[in-house]
């Protein structure tokens, strides 16, 4: 029994020791497994960190690529846009001074029209017994203009010199077409005032009621800051390149130009030409023809014209002068501020129509982008052609142009019709950029002393010719305008009554409660 007991005890001990061993082993196995598990987790963490890092690098790479492509696009845009600056030139002056002929001659001399076309025009003019009009036919393209020999619409054409790309706006000179002249001048940077030196013709244009005076005043108001006064028809038998006649015209025009607000020394240049035969236009006049002229020819004078820079990064502003349908709605106008590119989102004011830019055209060419001073056609989606009117403004969404029906303005009274008095209740037609609206003077606020340029103390109820007055102006419909101090080209205007310009002015304050 003792032996059996002993055996039993031994067996129990063996079993116990085996159990302990197995416990140790299990513990060991557990530890190893845990260790492996931890290593796995660490590895996974490292892997995911690496993956995140790789993804970040990838994203950074993509962003950089995008930035570079945007920069490349910017660079290609710079390459794409012609290096030459662009200027709008408006030809203004009395009817028959030779504006269209001079414009036609410029196009011929700069190679925009070939000899065959000129011969065709010469024959047409001869058939109408208007032999000297053939050059004007280049600018005057419709039949009414050719029969009457008067420009009705604003003709448009392009030419280039060594330094500059020009758009010619040939404005009508006849007084019944002055509103058309206003729309031409409102887009111009430089004015070429054409004056006829022929005996009797200069006098007719310059006297009261002649278009030379009105056009100069309008040009100044509409923002044509630089003026080339071209004394035309110097080859006429009554003139024959006479220095006396040229000097007489210059001495009569200078005080009038000063009175219209031009700094004659800085902003005005006189020069003699013959538009019909092209003398002193592309090349300087020969001394054998005109011994006394030592100044530049017309092309040189145009090239030397300096105009103020506009801001390509400013809020976008483009007054719409025309619209038509062509695979969408196409609007035309001159970019006054900012830039427009394909794909941009814009807003048409004052009707707040949100639009997308589908394409931009400069002259006849499709471009990616256009900056200030360019005449453009912009194809839009999101608005119907019939919902747009002349005078609406395509503008940036972030800073849209204000639209108001009442504003404050400083007016210079020029010449009231039939010596009327200017007082609250006076009605006229307002021309501001491409807007033509009937308006009423609601209140005269103060009169300005022309000498001191400061407001006079006394209450003002009415004013007469020559006065400068601050007043409130009201229109029937909402119009898009800016304060003159912010955007001169969208804040200056003229008032006209019965076909005559009675006042010129600038917007000094906007009344938003009216919007």
């Amino acid at each position: 029994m003792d032996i059996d007991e002993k055996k039993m005890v031994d067996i129990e001990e063996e079993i116990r020791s085996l159990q302990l061993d197995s416990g140790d082993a299990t513990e060991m196995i557990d530890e190893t497994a845990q260790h492996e598990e931890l290593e796995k987790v660490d590895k996974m963490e490292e892997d995911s960190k690496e993956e995140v890092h790789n993804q970040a690098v990838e994203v950074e790479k993509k962003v950089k690529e995008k930035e570079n492509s945007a920069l490349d696009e910017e660079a290609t845009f710079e390459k794409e846009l012609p290096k030459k600056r662009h200027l709008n030139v408006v030809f203004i002056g009395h009817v028959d001074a030779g504006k269209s002929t001079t414009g036609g001659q410029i196009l011929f001399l700069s190679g925009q029209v070939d000899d065959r076309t000129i011969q065709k025009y010469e024959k047409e003019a001869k058939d109408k017994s208007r032999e000297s009009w053939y050059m004007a036919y280049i600018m005057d393209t419709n039949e009414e203009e050719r029969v009457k020999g008067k420009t009705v619409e604003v003709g448009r054409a392009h030419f280039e010199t060594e330094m500059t790309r020009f758009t010619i706006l040939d404005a009508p000179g006849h007084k019944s077409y002055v509103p058309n002249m206003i729309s031409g001048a409102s887009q111009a940077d430089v004015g070429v005032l054409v004056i006829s030196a022929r005996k009797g013709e200069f006098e007719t244009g310059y006297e009261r009621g002649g278009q030379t005076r009105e056009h100069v005043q309008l040009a100044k108001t509409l923002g044509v800051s630089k003026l080339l006064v071209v004394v035309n028809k110097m080859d006429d038998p009554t003139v024959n390149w006479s220095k006396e006649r040229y000097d007489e015209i210059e001495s009569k025009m200078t005080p009038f130009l000063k009175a219209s607000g031009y700094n004659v020394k800085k902003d005005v240049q006189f020069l003699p030409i013959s538009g019909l035969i092209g003398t002193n236009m592309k090349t300087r006049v020969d001394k054998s023809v005109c011994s006394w002229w030592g100044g530049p020819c017309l092309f040189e004078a145009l090239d030397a014209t300096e105009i103020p820079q506009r801001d390509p990064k400013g809020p976008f502003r483009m007054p719409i002068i025309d619209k038509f349908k062509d695979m969408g709605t196409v609007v035309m106008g001159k970019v006054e501020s900012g830039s427009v590119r394909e794909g941009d989102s814009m807003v048409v004011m004052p009707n707040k129509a949100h639009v997308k830019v589908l394409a931009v055209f400069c002259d006849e060419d499709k471009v990616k982008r256009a900056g200030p001073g360019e005449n453009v056609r912009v194809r839009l989606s999101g608005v119907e052609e019939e919902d747009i009117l002349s005078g609406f403004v395509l503008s940036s969404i972030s800073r849209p142009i204000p639209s108001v029906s009442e504003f404050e303005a400083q007016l210079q009274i020029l010449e009231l019709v039939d010596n009327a008095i200017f007082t609250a209740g006076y009605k006229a037609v307002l021309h501001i950029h491409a807007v033509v609206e009937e308006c009423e003077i609601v209140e005269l606020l103060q009169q300005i002393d022309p000498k001191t340029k400061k407001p006079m103390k006394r209450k003002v109820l009415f004013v007469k010719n020559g006065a400068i007055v601050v007043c409130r102006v009201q229109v029937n419909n909402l119009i898009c305008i800016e304060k003159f101090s912010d955007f001169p080209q969208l804040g200056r205007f003229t008032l006209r009554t019965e076909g005559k310009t009675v006042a010129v002015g600038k917007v000094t304050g906007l009344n938003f409660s009216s919007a």
Side-chain angles (χ1 to χ4, degrees), residues 94-107:
H94 191 65
V95 63
D96 291 342
K99 297 181 295 295
S100 297
T101 297
T102 305
Q105 185 66 258
I106 286 176
L107 294 179

Side-chain angles (χ1 to χ4, degrees), residues 138-189:
I138 300 171
M139 294 299 288
D140 293 346
T141 46
N142 77 30
E143 202 48 41
E144 181 196 350
E145 293 179 331
R146 290 183 174 184
V147 172
K148 289 185 179 175
K150 289 176 186 163
T151 307
V152 177
E153 294 167 14
V154 177
R156 276 171 175 269
H158 314 282
F159 76 100
E160 294 191 16
T161 58
E162 306 260 308
M163 328 253 295
T164 318
R165 289 181 303 126
F166 289 99
T167 300
I168 299 180
L169 306 165
D170 176 32
H174 196 269
K175 76 168 191 278
S176 48
Y177 304 125
V178 165
N180 298 20
M181 179 257 152
I182 291 173
S183 77
S186 70
Q187 292 172 267
D189 304 299

Side-chain angles (χ1 to χ4, degrees), residues 244-433:
E244 287 69 37
R245 179 64 169 159
Y246 177 82
D247 289 346
E248 178 197 349
I249 290 170
E250 188 172 341
S251 64
K252 278 190 178 166
M253 283 304 296
T254 303
F256 174 65
L257 290 164
K258 277 184 182 160
S260 300
Y262 281 101
N263 178 337
V264 178
K265 278 198 178 77
K266 252 176 55 191
D267 301 330
V268 178
Q269 182 167 9
F270 284 82
L271 67 157
I273 65 157
S274 160
L276 187 63
I277 53 180
T279 316
N280 204 36
M281 287 180 71
K282 192 178 182 182
T283 52
R284 292 190 179 198
V285 59
D286 201 283
K287 289 285 181 216
S288 61
V289 176
C290 175
S291 55
W292 50 269
W293 180 252
C297 62
L298 182 58
F299 278 31
E300 289 171 330
L302 283 169
D303 253 346
T305 309
E306 284 180 17
I307 60 142
Q309 289 302 305
R310 290 186 178 85
D311 184 7
K313 291 193 168 68
F316 186 72
R317 301 280 183 269
M318 187 192 95
I320 295 167
I321 58 162
D322 205 357
K323 44 61 188 284
F324 55 90
K325 265 194 169 76
D326 176 20
M327 290 159 55
T329 301
V330 179
V331 293
M332 285 169 66
K334 176 181 163 198
V335 180
E336 294 292 3
S337 162
S339 305
V340 59
R341 64 165 82 213
E342 237 175 83
D344 276 353
S345 292
M346 296 270 177
V347 62
V348 175
M349 294 294 284
N351 60 352
K352 300 188 173 75
H354 284 257
V355 294
K356 199 172 177 67
V357 175
L358 301 177
V360 182
F361 298 88
C362 261
D363 298 342
E364 298 306 310
D365 311 318
K366 191 172 183 213
V367 291
K368 276 212 173 83
R369 191 175 94 178
E374 292 286 355
N375 300 321
V376 293
R377 294 194 321 259
V378 183
R379 183 176 289 136
L380 304 171
S381 68
V383 68
E384 287 304 314
E385 179 243 357
E386 53 267 24
D387 297 333
I388 294 175
L389 297 173
S390 225
F392 280 15
V393 178
L394 187 62
S395 84
S396 49
I397 293 174
S398 56
R399 278 180 64 191
I401 186 168
S403 46
V404 297
S405 60
E406 193 179 287
F407 60 93
E408 264 181 39
Q410 182 176 313
L411 276 179
Q412 159 104 48
I413 313 295
L414 301 173
E415 205 174 327
L416 297 165
V417 178
D418 302 330
N419 274 335
I421 59 166
F422 190 86
T423 178
Y426 188 92
K427 288 185 170 64
V429 178
L430 168 82
H431 290 259
I432 183 162
H433 62 83

Side-chain angles (χ1 to χ4, degrees), residues 478-491:
L478 280 180
I479 58 170
C480 296
I481 56 175
E482 294 272 12
K483 278 176 19 189
F484 180 83
S485 53
D486 298 338
F487 283 89
Q489 53 282 24
L490 301 173

